[in-house]
């Protein structure tokens, strides 16, 4: 059942005073520039505040306005994003910055509806920008907000289902403050981030225990309800780092791929975890490597966790003998150490190069 008008007013008042007393002074909360807000929300989609904040600052130093980002080379944008993961966020931002400059003379659309039509902006990000930058009374519902609403109002629907989403959206529409939607949204997000936390929330200091369904029935851990399970794909990646002098053979990843636009090494995917490089001997390039150089296993294997994938990664380092020529397939090219350093790379690649004392 939806709360009535007086309940909404009371809720908003308490939420705002909680926020004014408790919120963290985060840099993107001091601005109404839609470009900066957009950047912060994209970074924070899959990244924690502590990890994301230095990237936010660094990004703005390099690209202070949407015009600067639009002019940038995608390689440089990806290099700056290196370590944050989910690189499609950076590629989409770059694409959308160009669109905003080319089609809208650098001015952001001012409603959530119009913003959500841009590449890389979902309903949440569009609502966040529209309310923080332009004062539109739309609710921004991220994972934090789902949790807060489901606990307070005892929403049993699956937040990942379409019906569930509709139910949450209807409630959020009632709750959002029309006087100060920006503070309302920041407050809901912040309340979920630091008070109504996923595990063991400290309900003794919460201003809403008197009205909280989950608190009343001690069911905090059961909300929000998520029925749809994420399926996580196990993948096994085997990399060959081919070195000639101080140069390494690298390739730009193309196609629809999480690492599109980043640079990595020659890679063979296998069904199972493989510990010996010679299982790949039938591969033309690997076959040639065994006669052209010395193959050394990187002792450590790496695990890289993504939302839908679990990557088990092994590396073999091949030093091509000095007097040998080695012809690379057209997708690969040798890059000097200085070039390898500045190319955008998956963080895993950067890590192995540092751990192996190459970089
Ligand atoms: N997570 C997503 N958006 C956020 C914001 N504006 N402030 C803090 N954490 C967030």
């Amino acid at each position: 059942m939806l709360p009535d008008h007086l309940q909404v007013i009371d809720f908003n008042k308490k939420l705002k005073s909680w926020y004014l007393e408790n919120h963290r002074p985060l840099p993107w909360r001091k601005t109404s520039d839609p470009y900066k807000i957009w950047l912060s929300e994209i970074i924070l989609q899959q990244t924690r505040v502590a990890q994301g904040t230095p990237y936010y600052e660094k990004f703005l130093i390099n690209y202070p306005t949407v015009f600067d980002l639009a002019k940038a080379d995608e390689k440089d944008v990806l290099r700056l994003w290196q370590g944050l993961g989910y690189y499609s966020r950076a590629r989409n931002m770059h694409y959308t910055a160009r669109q905003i400059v080319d089609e809208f003379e650098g001015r952001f659309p001012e409603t959530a509806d119009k913003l959500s039509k841009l590449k890389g902006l979902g309903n949440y990000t569009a609502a966040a920008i529209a309310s923080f930058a332009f004062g539109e009374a739309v609710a921004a519902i991220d994972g934090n907000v789902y949790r807060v609403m489901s606990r307070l109002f005892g929403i049993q629907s699956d937040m990942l289902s379409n019906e569930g989403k509709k139910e949450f959206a209807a409630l959020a529409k009632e709750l959002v403050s029309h006087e100060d939607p920006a503070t309302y949204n920041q407050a809901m997000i912040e309340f979920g981030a630091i008070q109504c936390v996923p595990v063991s929330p400290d309900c003794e200091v919460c201003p809403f225990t008197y009205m909280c369904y989950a608190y009343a029935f001690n069911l905090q851990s059961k909300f929000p309800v998520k029925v749809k399970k994420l399926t996580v794909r196990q993948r096994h990646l085997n990399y060959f780092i081919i070195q000639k002098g101080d140069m390494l053979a690298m390739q730009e990843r193309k196609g629809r791929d999480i690492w599109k636009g980043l640079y990595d090494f020659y890679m063979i995917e296998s069904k199972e975890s493989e510990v010996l490089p010679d299982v790949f001997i039938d591969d033309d390039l690997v076959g040639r490597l065994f006669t052209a150089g010395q193959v050394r296993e990187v002792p450590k294997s790496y695990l890289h966790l993504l939302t839908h994938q679990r990557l088990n990664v092994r590396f073999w380092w091949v030093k091509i003998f000095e007097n040998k020529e080695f012809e690379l397939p057209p997708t690969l090219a040798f890059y000097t150490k200085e070039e390898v350093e500045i190319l955008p790379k998956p963080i895993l690649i950067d890590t192995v190069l540092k751990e192996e004392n190459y970089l």
Side-chain angles (χ1 to χ4, degrees), residues 136-152:
E136 192 187 1
V138 280
I141 315 175
D142 75 345
N144 291 313
V145 179
Y146 274 117
R147 186 169 57 255
V148 173
M149 289 199 294
S150 68
R151 283 180 179 163
L152 287 179

Side-chain angles (χ1 to χ4, degrees), residues 172-352:
K173 196 166 174 212
E174 291 299 312
L175 291 176
V176 66
S177 161
H178 285 248
E179 276 159 32
D180 187 357
T183 307
Y184 168 85
N185 280 328
Q186 286 289 8
M188 283 294 270
I189 294 164
E190 191 71 343
F191 189 76
I194 65 176
Q195 169 61 44
C196 197
V197 293
V199 180
S200 311
D202 182 5
C203 299
E204 298 315 310
V205 297
C206 174
F208 296 118
T209 45
Y210 73 97
M211 59 169 279
C212 180
Y213 180 94
Y215 179 76
F217 297 102
N218 202 20
L219 290 172
Q220 291 89 328
S221 64
K222 300 280 184 259
F223 289 99
V225 176
K226 289 184 219 173
V227 180
K228 256 197 213 167
K229 266 248 180 311
L230 272 184
T231 49
V232 177
R233 188 151 71 104
Q234 288 272 358
R235 296 178 68 186
H236 302 278
L237 310 185
N238 309 280
Y239 274 111
F240 288 85
I241 307 176
I242 306 168
Q243 178 171 9
K244 180 141 185 63
D246 86 331
M247 297 187 295
L248 299 185
M250 300 195 82
Q251 60 187 356
E252 183 185 349
R253 293 185 67 110
K254 310 247 181 199
R256 283 170 51 82
D257 180 76
I258 49 162
W259 288 336
K260 182 176 168 203
L262 304 186
Y263 284 72
D264 67 356
F265 308 113
Y266 185 68
M267 190 267 286
I268 301 177
E269 184 158 2
S270 53
K271 289 217 163 57
E272 294 163 24
S273 172
E274 303 288 359
V275 289
L276 290 172
D278 22 353
V279 295
F280 304 111
I281 198 88
D282 289 340
D283 180 273
D284 173 56
L285 183 123
V286 175
R288 289 194 291 120
L289 283 176
F290 277 93
T291 53
Q294 192 185 6
V295 183
R296 172 175 72 83
E297 180 189 345
V298 173
K300 193 169 144 191
S301 66
Y302 292 79
L303 186 62
H304 191 68
L305 298 177
L306 299 160
T307 317
H308 296 274
Q309 299 188 35
R310 189 182 158 93
L311 306 181
N312 302 283
V313 189
R314 300 197 79 90
F315 292 90
W316 286 281
W317 200 297
V318 188
K319 277 205 169 122
I320 302 296
F321 298 126
E322 270 186 21
N323 53 355
K324 277 266 181 196
E325 279 303 308
F326 190 78
E327 201 179 320
L328 293 173
T331 47
L332 285 165
F334 280 115
Y335 293 89
T336 64
K337 191 181 283 215
E338 290 72 32
E339 290 168 330
V340 171
E341 165 99 56
I342 57 173
L343 285 176
K345 303 172 283 297
I347 199 65
L348 183 73
I349 300 290
D350 197 63
T351 305
V352 79

Side-chain angles (χ1 to χ4, degrees), residues 24 26 28-29 40-41 44-45 47 49 124 132 142 144 186 189-190 193:
R24 297 164 292 175
L26 303 174
W28 47 88
R29 292 190 170 144
S40 72
E41 292 301 337
L44 294 171
Q45 268 170 18
T47 304
V49 167
Y124 164 76
F132 300 154
D142 75 345
N144 291 313
Q186 286 289 8
I189 294 164
E190 191 71 343

Side-chain angles (χ1 to χ4, degrees), residues 16-46:
K16 189 164 180 172
S17 61
W18 175 87
Y19 180 73
L20 295 177
E21 263 176 47
N22 295 286
H23 75 275
R24 297 164 292 175
L26 303 174
W28 47 88
R29 292 190 170 144
K30 296 192 208 87
T31 181
S32 57
D33 178 344
Y35 170 70
K36 294 180 182 168
I37 292 165
W38 176 43
L39 174 65
S40 72
E41 292 301 337
I42 297 294
I43 289 178
L44 294 171
Q45 268 170 18
Q46 251 125 353

